[in-house]
Amino acid sequence: MKQYLFIFTQTHLDFRIPEFSSLCQLFGIPDKSGEICKDDVLCTIELEPNHVAQLLSRAISIKSVYEIILQGSDYGDICEQLKISSEKFRVFDSENQSWALRIRPYGLKHDISQTNEMIDELVELLPLNKASVNLSNPSIEFSLIEDFSQNRNQKPVATYFGRFIGEGHRSWISKFSLKSRKYIGNSTMDPELALIQANLVMARPGAIVLDPFCGTGGLILPASHFGATTVGTEINYQIARAEGVSARMGEGKLTANQSVLANFEQYGIADKFLGILIADASRHSLWRYGENGIFDAITTDPPYGVREKGRKVGNKKRKPHWTLPGSAHEQHYPEKQVYGITQVFLDLLNLAAKVLVISGRIAFWYPVVRNE
Ligand SMILES: C[S@@+](CC[C@H](N)C(=O)[O-])C[C@H]1O[C@@H](n2cnc3c(N)ncnc32)[C@H](O)[C@@H]1O
């Protein structure tokens, strides 16, 4: 095992630990999420190198990871350690290796002349003779990482000298950007959160994932990106079939090229999309479930009645202006009634209890008024 420095992103801090923990479970590696502090950007964790690679292959909340070579109180301490650490650098010092050096202060900015002075001094101290410098494409990227995140009074919490291992997959957020997505609706889920949610439910090849309130498919897209086969139900015909006016200002009517399937095609994962059923998520008999469940995960964003109304199939009270006699209207078009928020979430949990496999997962959004 080696000691690694994890640098987390500054967005959606609440999801850092759950995402890390889910990925540990997904890859069957020891869950070290207990060592992460929700409010710290930098965190040191001891792990096997291949486990770090596995985490990086899926993580959205991890920005980057470094293998720690030296750890000290401040820059001066690291310089002193470098003078007596030639043994630790022997593995990097061969003719077929090249290196570059970066200075990365977190929570403080050095001016350019100070950075250059530090680089000059560190280059002098680095015990490397055979490996050559290559600034554009080095085989090893060393970094001096100073953690000023807690104390902005010029004094770092800790300073590390490390080797860059890799980055998380922030690039997927742009890949799934709503700006370039073919079909979006009023409440299409933000791609960063949708990707994190797909990690929380451990979407993976071989898994079948359901979104009972599927909308434009914003939550099942990343699940399929991770290899899961996905299916959704949506009660609103126009949303499910991408008909009517586009949610994009000024775009006018939706065209035949815009649909939930077109979104899957856009990202090259149409083979992972089972389809979208126009159906009422409160009708659980839609699914034939045995004792063992049918879905490995549910990922969803139910209607809260703010941007998207909650509706379910049911009878309205007869109104005086209705012209059809008796109960004839009940057979005419399926009627819809208001679907109250408490019932939405009760139904969702009951659905999960019935259709999820043992140890299957559900991740859903729930509106909270923080003061209450
Ligand atoms: C918050 S939106 C989900 C948006 C979706 N995550 C996306 O990325 O497009 C909730 C969706 O649930 C649908 N809905 C409301 N009541 C429903 C019901 N009883 N059964 C199925 N879908 C329902 C709404 O029409 C709406 O599209």
Side-chain angles (χ1 to χ4, degrees):
M1 284 222 256
K2 289 180 175 174
Q3 196 71 14
Y4 292 94
L5 179 66
F6 280 74
I7 300 182
F8 289 93
T9 61
Q10 305 267 37
T11 51
H12 309 307
L13 308 193
D14 287 335
F15 294 109
R16 237 178 229 174
I17 298 173
E19 188 194 46
F20 193 98
S21 173
S22 292
L23 292 180
C24 289
Q25 285 195 45
L26 175 66
F27 292 115
I29 62 186
D31 187 352
K32 301 278 182 85
S33 61
E35 293 171 31
I36 302 169
C37 172
K38 194 193 110 188
D39 300 316
D40 290 345
V41 180
L42 282 78
C43 174
T44 60
I45 304 174
E46 202 179 37
L47 280 167
E48 296 291 350
N50 58 325
H51 293 167
V52 176
Q54 284 175 310
L55 290 169
L56 283 175
S57 73
R58 289 275 301 245
I60 306 299
S61 307
I62 299 170
K63 194 168 169 218
S64 47
V65 177
Y66 295 83
E67 178 192 327
I68 299 173
I69 303 170
L70 303 170
Q71 179 171 351
S73 54
D74 56 17
Y75 170 67
D77 188 9
I78 294 290
C79 289
E80 287 308 311
Q81 290 189 44
L82 273 173
K83 291 176 189 164
I84 51 166
S85 302
S86 52
E87 194 56 40
K88 288 189 175 166
F89 286 85
R90 189 158 294 165
V91 58
F92 307 119
D93 196 18
S94 67
E95 267 133 22
N96 54 6
Q97 301 202 75
S98 60
W99 58 276
L101 174 63
R102 320 245 185 255
I103 308 286
R104 299 186 189 278
Y106 281 86
L108 188 98
K109 262 197 168 168
H110 296 308
D111 62 41
I112 188 83
S113 61
Q114 193 181 1
T115 305
N116 287 341
E117 267 174 37
M118 290 164 90
I119 289 179
D120 288 346
E121 189 174 2
L122 289 168
V123 167
E124 278 301 307
L125 291 172
L126 264 172
L128 296 170
N129 301 312
K130 294 182 188 144
S132 55
V133 172
N134 180 342
L135 295 183
S136 55
N137 189 23
S139 61
I140 310 156
E141 190 187 313
F142 294 114
S143 288
L144 178 89
I145 302 148
E146 300 168 285
D147 181 0
F148 290 102
S149 59
Q150 306 288 317
N151 187 345
R152 288 171 187 266
N153 210 7
Q154 307 280 314
K155 189 126 184 63
V157 185
T159 303
Y160 308 88
F161 194 91
R163 179 172 74 97
F164 175 70
I165 297 297
E167 291 182 333
H169 277 282
R170 308 287 299 161
S171 59
W172 289 336
I173 300 169
S174 343
K175 175 178 173 178
F176 285 97
S177 167
L178 299 190
K179 279 191 193 147
S180 52
R181 189 170 308 167
K182 284 196 170 167
Y183 173 43
I184 57 164
N186 290 333
S187 52
T188 301
M189 182 53 73
D190 164 77
E192 179 171 2
L193 292 169
L195 282 157
I196 292 174
Q197 194 165 340
N199 273 338
L200 295 183
V201 298
M202 304 198 301
R204 61 198 180 277
I208 308 179
V209 176
L210 167 71
D211 182 352
F213 301 97
C214 176
T216 61
L219 284 172
I220 50 176
L221 269 175
S224 284
H225 167 71
F226 290 137
T229 302
T230 55
V231 60
T233 54
E234 167 59 52
I235 202 166
N236 185 317
Y237 183 92
Q238 288 198 304
I239 294 177
R241 290 282 176 264
E243 286 186 357
V245 180
S246 165
R248 284 197 181 92
M249 279 267 278
E251 203 178 69
K253 285 212 158 191
L254 289 161
T255 64
N257 298 330
Q258 291 168 295
S259 66
V260 177
L261 175 62
N263 287 347
F264 279 80
E265 283 167 348
Q266 180 180 357
Y267 304 116
I269 45 178
D271 59 327
K272 301 279 177 228
F273 178 48
L274 281 179
I276 180 166
L277 303 169
I278 299 170
D280 180 349
S282 73
R283 303 282 168 140
H284 298 169
S285 52
L286 174 69
W287 306 109
R288 190 199 295 179
Y289 41 83
E291 263 173 38
N292 299 324
I294 40 175
F295 296 112
D296 296 282
I298 293 176
T299 178
T300 196
D301 179 22
Y304 321 134
V306 182
R307 282 187 301 176
E308 295 295 347
K309 284 184 198 158
R311 287 279 182 271
K312 63 176 181 172
V313 176
N315 294 336
K316 287 181 194 152
K317 276 197 182 145
R318 194 172 171 81
K319 293 189 177 145
H321 63 273
W322 287 5
T323 50
L324 275 175
S327 59
H329 64 278
E330 287 171 18
Q331 317 303 327
H332 202 61
Y333 281 107
E335 279 186 26
K336 284 185 209 145
Q337 59 180 205
V338 173
Y339 195 11
I341 191 163
T342 310
Q343 199 58 47
V344 168
F345 285 96
L346 270 176
D347 284 348
L348 177 61
L349 294 180
N350 279 329
L351 175 72
K354 284 172 180 158
V355 301
L356 281 182
V357 299
I358 301 295
S359 79
R361 286 196 165 199
I362 175 166
F364 58 88
W365 291 90
Y366 186 87
V368 173
V369 179
R370 283 190 188 267
N371 293 346
E372 290 171 24

